[in-house]
Amino acid sequence: MLNDAKIKNADELEFAVFCIENIAIKLEKNAEKIYQVLTETSNILNGYIIPEYEMLHTQSKEYIVDDIISLMEERGIRL
Protein backbone atom coordinates (compact mmCIF):
# COMPACT_ATOMS: atom_id res chain seq x y z
CA MET A 1 0.00 0.00 0.00
CA LEU A 2 1.34 3.39 -0.92
CA ASN A 3 1.62 6.16 1.61
CA ASP A 4 -1.14 8.73 1.61
CA ALA A 5 -0.16 11.92 -0.13
CA LYS A 6 -1.88 15.26 -0.07
CA ILE A 7 -2.16 17.42 -3.16
CA LYS A 8 0.88 19.70 -3.07
CA ASN A 9 0.45 22.00 -6.05
CA ALA A 10 -1.78 23.16 -8.88
CA ASP A 11 -0.46 20.50 -11.27
CA GLU A 12 -1.51 17.69 -8.92
CA LEU A 13 -4.87 19.34 -8.30
CA GLU A 14 -5.47 19.74 -12.03
CA PHE A 15 -4.49 16.10 -12.57
CA ALA A 16 -6.86 14.91 -9.82
CA VAL A 17 -9.74 16.84 -11.43
CA PHE A 18 -8.76 15.46 -14.84
CA CYS A 19 -8.88 11.90 -13.48
CA ILE A 20 -12.21 12.36 -11.72
CA GLU A 21 -13.87 14.02 -14.72
CA ASN A 22 -12.64 11.46 -17.24
CA ILE A 23 -13.55 8.47 -15.08
CA ALA A 24 -17.02 9.98 -14.64
CA ILE A 25 -17.37 10.38 -18.41
CA LYS A 26 -16.21 6.82 -19.14
CA LEU A 27 -18.48 5.30 -16.49
CA GLU A 28 -21.34 7.68 -17.28
CA LYS A 29 -21.53 8.74 -13.63
CA ASN A 30 -21.67 12.04 -11.81
CA ALA A 31 -18.18 13.45 -11.12
CA GLU A 32 -19.18 14.17 -7.51
CA LYS A 33 -19.96 10.45 -7.03
CA ILE A 34 -16.58 9.49 -8.52
CA TYR A 35 -14.83 11.96 -6.18
CA GLN A 36 -16.66 10.43 -3.22
CA VAL A 37 -15.66 6.91 -4.26
CA LEU A 38 -12.01 7.91 -4.80
CA THR A 39 -11.78 9.68 -1.44
CA GLU A 40 -14.28 8.42 1.13
CA THR A 41 -14.97 4.89 -0.11
CA SER A 42 -11.51 3.85 -1.24
CA ASN A 43 -8.79 6.46 -0.60
CA ILE A 44 -7.57 5.90 -4.16
CA LEU A 45 -7.07 9.64 -4.69
CA ASN A 46 -4.59 10.20 -1.84
CA GLY A 47 -3.37 6.60 -1.69
CA TYR A 48 -2.66 6.04 -5.39
CA ILE A 49 -3.41 8.87 -7.82
CA ILE A 50 -1.43 11.59 -6.01
CA PRO A 51 1.53 9.42 -4.90
CA GLU A 52 1.81 8.06 -8.45
CA TYR A 53 1.30 11.45 -10.13
CA GLU A 54 4.83 11.60 -11.58
CA MET A 55 4.35 8.27 -13.39
CA LEU A 56 0.65 8.52 -14.21
CA HIS A 57 0.58 12.01 -15.72
CA THR A 58 2.96 10.93 -18.47
CA GLN A 59 0.52 8.27 -19.71
CA SER A 60 -2.37 8.58 -22.15
CA LYS A 61 -5.83 9.58 -20.95
CA GLU A 62 -7.12 6.10 -21.81
CA TYR A 63 -4.34 4.40 -19.84
CA ILE A 64 -4.90 6.60 -16.78
CA VAL A 65 -8.68 6.14 -16.77
CA ASP A 66 -8.50 2.38 -17.37
CA ASP A 67 -5.77 1.96 -14.75
CA ILE A 68 -7.80 3.71 -12.05
CA ILE A 69 -11.01 1.90 -13.01
CA SER A 70 -9.12 -1.42 -12.80
CA LEU A 71 -7.91 -0.48 -9.33
CA MET A 72 -11.46 0.39 -8.30
CA GLU A 73 -12.63 -3.03 -9.56
CA GLU A 74 -9.77 -4.82 -7.74
CA ARG A 75 -10.93 -3.15 -4.53
CA GLY A 76 -14.50 -4.29 -5.10
CA ILE A 77 -15.96 -0.86 -5.76
CA ARG A 78 -19.33 -1.04 -7.49
CA LEU A 79 -21.04 2.04 -8.89
Side-chain angles (χ1 to χ4, degrees), residues 19-32:
C19 291
I20 292 163
E21 288 178 343
N22 284 287
I23 291 166
I25 291 166
K26 177 146 186 174
L27 297 178
E28 298 180 345
K29 300 290 181 188
N30 182 302
E32 188 174 331

Side-chain angles (χ1 to χ4, degrees), residues 39-53:
T39 57
E40 297 168 19
T41 307
S42 69
N43 196 39
I44 290 173
L45 182 66
N46 289 328
Y48 178 69
I49 295 171
I50 300 306
E52 292 298 313
Y53 167 76

Side-chain angles (χ1 to χ4, degrees), residues 13-69:
L13 177 60
E14 189 175 304
F15 182 69
V17 171
F18 166 86
C19 291
I20 292 163
E21 288 178 343
N22 284 287
I23 291 166
I25 291 166
K26 177 146 186 174
L27 297 178
E28 298 180 345
K29 300 290 181 188
N30 182 302
E32 188 174 331
K33 174 67 176 164
I34 299 301
Y35 173 77
Q36 185 178 39
V37 166
L38 294 179
T39 57
E40 297 168 19
T41 307
S42 69
N43 196 39
I44 290 173
L45 182 66
N46 289 328
Y48 178 69
I49 295 171
I50 300 306
E52 292 298 313
Y53 167 76
E54 289 300 326
M55 183 277 296
L56 283 173
H57 88 279
T58 65
Q59 305 298 318
S60 70
K61 177 173 77 171
E62 291 76 20
Y63 176 90
I64 294 164
V65 170
D66 290 345
D67 184 56
I68 296 168
I69 291 172

